[in-house]
Amino acid sequence: MVTTIKSKSLTKAYDGHKVVDNLNLDITSGEIFGLLGPNGAGKTTTILMLLGLVEPTSGEIEVLGLDPRRNPLEVKRRVGFLPDAVGFYDTMTGRENLRFTARLNGIEDAEEKIDALLEEVGLADAGDQRVGEYSRGMKQRLGLADALVKGPGVLILDEPTTAIDPEGVAEILGMIRRLATEQGVTILLSSHLLHQVQAVCDRVAIFVDGKVVAQGPPHELAAQQRGPTRVEFRFDEDDEALGQRLEGLAPVQSVTRGRIPGAWIVGVEPARLSEAVRLASAEAPLIGVRRLDDDLDAIYRRYFESSEEKSA
């Protein structure tokens, strides 16, 4: 596979504080790669360095074979970018904004492409409406179309599904997957919505305090984590005393309340999961069992908590 985004020991420091610390990336053509982490973890700074908008303190960086420090304009011509806070000319229509972007990039006869993009992002009926009348979700959709006008080889998306309804989210994620699989576009996706990242990303990098503490496919990150298997037990009753009874079961190492009535999150010795299910079902009617180990939210929380413990 061809590498389209590469960094080696990439570092950015402000006043001696490293906001990105020795970042190594190797992202290939057609791959969907997720950047995960809380605000201030280094995700946005990484994106800005890839686009040539922020100068690295040290390290190497390459996008589509170009160094963004030496070829910032060429990188911008070949990379589509959807920022978190997307901006347009409010007095112009969605279509006119896309035409403007096409002209800036030297693209002639873009009408057919603009029509197709408006259709694909669900704005075919609103393309001739002034952007000032758009909702935030509609502007986010237009931003995705805007990033795709120039036919980029790399697409960088910062919180691409913000303010979009659930049906629209499914459409956008499906479009992202098609761009990668059918057109070979490399996609770098930054988001705090972990379940959405898990649904579409091939690999992820987990940022904590400027450092990538884990990188790989979600299922491999789960396998690397040590500790008990986390399982959600759902019972046909919501009895507070049930939690205490579950704690007394031999295979069980931890018990916490779930998010919905009758649900308990149980840490179980991996080799004794079947035994734990059998014993739990004897305590109360059991209506559902779901492993949580491959849930990206749980994986991220474990890495974040372990990093906090090391720094304590």
Side-chain angles (χ1 to χ4, degrees):
M1 297 293 289
V2 178
T3 296
T4 53
I5 297 176
K6 187 177 183 66
S7 70
K8 183 178 180 181
S9 302
L10 186 65
T11 299
K12 180 62 181 178
Y14 293 101
D15 297 325
H17 173 66
K18 294 180 179 180
V19 293
V20 176
D21 189 357
N22 287 299
L23 174 63
N24 296 300
L25 294 175
D26 192 336
I27 305 173
T28 60
S29 176
E31 185 174 15
I32 305 177
F33 193 94
L35 300 180
L36 303 178
N39 292 336
K43 306 188 304 298
T44 299
T45 301
T46 297
I47 288 173
L48 295 178
M49 287 191 288
L50 291 173
L51 292 168
L53 298 173
V54 166
E55 183 81 9
T57 301
S58 61
E60 302 174 11
I61 187 170
E62 189 176 284
V63 179
L64 292 168
L66 300 168
D67 186 335
R69 296 168 294 187
R70 297 182 175 85
N71 303 281
L73 294 181
E74 184 61 25
V75 167
K76 291 179 181 66
R77 276 193 287 267
R78 299 174 63 181
V79 175
F81 176 46
L82 173 63
D84 182 19
V86 61
F88 293 102
Y89 292 102
D90 285 349
T91 58
M92 294 167 57
T93 68
R95 187 184 305 277
E96 288 169 343
N97 272 280
L98 295 183
R99 285 175 183 157
F100 182 69
T101 297
R103 288 198 299 271
L104 284 178
N105 286 276
I107 302 172
E108 304 292 338
D109 301 321
E111 288 303 310
E112 186 174 337
K113 185 170 189 177
I114 289 172
D115 285 341
L117 286 172
L118 287 170
E119 178 72 33
E120 192 156 13
V121 300
L123 291 176
D125 295 334
D128 295 312
Q129 181 179 338
R130 289 185 179 181
V131 172
E133 301 171 0
Y134 279 19
S135 67
R136 186 178 179 188
M138 292 171 69
K139 289 181 180 179
Q140 201 76 3
R141 289 171 179 266
L142 184 64
L144 184 55
D146 187 77
L148 292 170
V149 163
K150 51 190 168 183
V154 170
L155 183 61
I156 299 178
L157 307 173
D158 193 0
E159 302 288 353
T161 58
T162 300
I164 296 179
D165 59 90
E167 182 179 354
V169 167
E171 293 172 357
I172 296 299
L173 294 180
M175 182 179 180
I176 290 171
R177 173 53 66 186
R178 290 194 300 275
L179 287 168
T181 57
E182 297 176 9
Q183 300 182 32
V185 178
T186 301
I187 297 173
L188 187 66
L189 170 63
S190 173
S191 179
H192 70 282
L193 301 174
L194 305 187
H195 61 287
Q196 293 181 11
V197 172
Q198 185 169 8
V200 73
C201 287
D202 301 306
R203 289 190 297 146
V204 299
I206 297 177
F207 277 78
V208 177
D209 294 330
K211 294 183 178 180
V212 170
V213 297
Q215 185 176 156
H219 69 276
E220 288 187 8
L221 297 185
Q224 293 168 9
Q225 284 291 298
R226 298 179 179 178
T229 298
R230 297 175 68 253
V231 183
E232 181 187 65
F233 287 152
R234 291 185 60 189
F235 296 92
D236 193 23
E237 62 179 63
D238 190 30
D239 180 8
E240 189 68 32
L242 178 57
Q244 297 178 355
R245 299 201 301 272
L246 292 174
E247 288 179 343
L249 301 180
V252 172
Q253 299 183 6
S254 64
V255 177
T256 57
R257 268 285 193 180
R259 295 180 180 178
I260 60 176
W264 296 87
I265 309 303
V266 179
V268 181
E269 294 179 34
R272 304 180 70 181
L273 178 56
S274 297
E275 180 187 357
V277 172
R278 177 176 56 79
L279 294 172
S281 63
E283 295 295 333
L286 189 61
I287 60 174
V289 178
R290 181 169 67 100
R291 289 189 60 156
L292 301 179
D293 278 332
D294 291 337
D295 181 81
L296 200 51
D297 191 5
I299 297 168
Y300 173 75
R301 186 170 59 252
R302 285 189 182 183
Y303 276 108
F304 190 72
E305 290 172 349
S306 64
S307 295
E308 285 185 327
E309 290 172 0
K310 290 177 182 178
S311 62

